[in-house]
Amino acid sequence: MRSKDRLVVGVEKAAARNGFALDAGQQALLERMATLGADLDRSSLRRSSTRSLYIHGDAGRGKSWLADAFYAELPLAQKTRVHFHGFFDELHRSIHDHRIERDAVERAIDDITQNSRLLFFDELHVHDAGDARLLTRLLDHVFQRGLTVLATSNYAPDDLLPNPIWHHMFEPGIALIKTHMDVWNLAGPVDYRSINEEHDHGFAAGSWTMAPARSAAPEQQTLTVVKGRAFTVTSADDGELVATFDQLCSAATSTVEYLNWAQSFSRWAITDIPSFGTVDAEAQQRFINVIDVLVDADIPVRFSSTVDLSGFLADVSTRPDAFRMASRLQLLETTTRSSC
């Protein structure tokens, strides 16, 4: 069997094991990714000139699942998968390690990609001018080295860094994407997360429970993590982190902490979640970020809120990436209880 056919069959079997069949748009994208994989296989004895691929589309259409399944099936040892939040955390740490060197950023990029021939960048999104500069340097560096890039995003290239004040800062990065990558829109009318009925593993095994607000503050303990900073949570025992919304999102936490805790705790509970529109923009963005991290790590979470999930989602603001959070929360089972 040809390498392309093996990849297609392998991903189709993975879908069947998960209880679904690919729709027409997903099947067409799989064929394109399998072509990319076959091209990498044929060019195994030289630095790859395989055409890179940028996949974008609305949340819940299967971009990340397909790309992850393809990556798992691809029989290539020299490959690297990075997620937006984890990538920038790792990149900043590596830049710090190389800070006295003239080419610190390039050395840091090499640390992450190592000898890879394929770089899979999941959930590429840009809202920060500093991240835009770093991502542009990353793209320029990897394309100059002849790496093939596979990227998924909710945004078409021209819609990255959408803030009109800063958009021009990522125009060089957008030009690199359009020059070196085929752009593929995975469209479709269905957000598959909204019709999910499987709740037996990972993030989808979590729940959203509507419960009255607590009459008293929960008992708290101090959890010390990440560069010696101390954070207050409700509990951190037996592999489970329990924290209120305020502890996770209203306090001065960052994605660095969420990534660290996702590695340390295999189960989470987030309690006392208020209506989304009643908290400030920084707390909203932190909640979006923590959902990103938890879904990527595929951690089951017990969410407890003063509003039901449909009410919470109806109140979701037009904040960047809130639509992705809304799609993901629909994976959860929903319940109601009368008392805490």
Side-chain angles (χ1 to χ4, degrees):
M1 186 183 295
R2 296 182 306 162
S3 59
K4 177 178 177 179
D5 295 333
R6 284 196 299 270
L7 286 166
V8 170
V9 170
V11 174
E12 289 174 339
K13 288 182 177 178
R17 288 193 297 271
N18 281 269
F20 65 91
L22 304 181
D23 65 27
Q26 294 168 341
Q27 190 71 46
L29 175 56
L30 173 56
E31 293 285 341
R32 175 61 185 86
M33 289 192 295
T35 298
L36 182 151
D39 288 345
L40 281 168
D41 186 43
R42 281 193 292 269
S43 62
S44 60
L45 298 179
R46 58 184 171 82
R47 178 57 70 184
S48 174
S49 59
T50 302
R51 183 77 177 170
S52 295
L53 181 62
Y54 182 100
I55 306 163
H56 70 95
D58 292 338
R61 269 58 183 181
K63 299 179 300 297
S64 289
W65 187 92
L66 267 175
D68 273 323
F70 163 76
Y71 183 85
E73 289 292 329
L74 184 66
L76 177 71
Q78 297 165 298
K79 59 184 180 180
T80 299
R81 180 194 185 277
V82 295
H83 183 269
F84 177 84
H85 294 299
F87 164 75
F88 278 104
D89 176 47
E90 188 175 352
L91 183 60
H92 285 300
R93 289 172 184 268
S94 189
I95 290 172
H96 179 77
D97 291 341
H98 293 289
R99 62 191 180 278
I100 63 174
E101 302 171 37
R102 183 170 55 87
D103 54 350
V105 174
E106 284 69 26
R107 292 290 300 276
I109 293 170
D110 283 338
D111 284 348
I112 295 171
T113 59
Q114 297 182 358
N115 295 318
S116 295
R117 294 174 52 231
L118 173 69
L119 175 63
F120 168 27
F121 204 128
D122 192 26
E123 290 189 359
L124 190 153
H125 56 275
V126 188
H127 299 297
D128 177 82
D131 288 346
R133 287 190 291 267
L134 277 177
L135 184 55
T136 299
R137 293 185 69 171
L138 165 75
L139 292 170
D140 184 54
H141 186 66
V142 299
F143 288 138
Q144 284 192 34
R145 290 183 56 209
L147 271 70
T148 297
V149 178
L150 173 64
T152 66
S153 179
N154 291 127
Y155 298 89
D158 287 326
D159 296 332
L160 294 165
L161 195 58
N163 188 323
I165 297 174
W166 306 111
H167 180 75
H168 68 281
M169 298 188 68
F170 195 55
E171 287 177 348
I174 293 170
L176 286 167
I177 290 171
K178 290 182 172 181
T179 299
H180 295 278
M181 307 182 74
D182 290 339
V183 178
W184 188 291
N185 178 214
L186 181 59
V190 179
D191 179 346
Y192 287 102
R193 295 186 183 116
S194 68
I195 58 175
N196 174 68
E197 296 181 353
E198 299 293 330
H199 302 285
D200 57 351
H201 66 278
F203 185 82
S207 61
W208 184 283
T209 301
M210 180 182 173
R214 294 174 183 268
S215 58
E219 295 182 5
Q220 299 177 342
Q221 71 178 48
T222 297
L223 173 68
T224 302
V225 296
V226 189
K227 299 181 180 179
R229 294 184 63 199
F231 299 88
T232 300
V233 298
T234 305
S235 65
D237 301 306
D238 299 324
E240 182 177 57
L241 175 69
V242 181
T244 66
F245 178 93
D246 283 346
Q247 289 167 345
L248 283 180
C249 303
S250 298
T253 51
S254 72
T255 309
V256 172
E257 283 76 56
Y258 304 149
L259 289 165
N260 182 276
W261 292 334
Q263 293 175 351
S264 301
F265 300 97
S266 59
R267 303 184 316 280
W268 285 44
I270 303 176
T271 65
D272 301 329
I273 302 171
S275 298
F276 195 71
T278 63
V279 299
D280 62 35
E282 289 188 356
Q284 289 179 351
Q285 189 61 52
R286 289 189 184 109
F287 192 68
I288 292 169
N289 291 346
V290 77
I291 298 301
D292 279 346
V293 170
L294 290 168
V295 170
D296 187 58
D298 209 21
I299 291 174
V301 185
R302 293 181 291 112
F303 296 90
S304 177
S305 175
T306 57
V307 296
D308 63 20
L309 182 57
S310 61
F312 183 85
L313 296 180
D315 197 29
V316 165
S317 72
T318 56
R319 237 189 123 61
D321 298 323
F323 61 89
R324 186 174 63 248
M325 174 194 70
S327 174
R328 288 166 159 179
L329 290 177
Q330 292 182 84
L331 289 167
L332 305 170
E333 285 194 291
T334 57
T335 61
T336 302
R337 66 173 182 261
S338 59
S339 62
C340 294

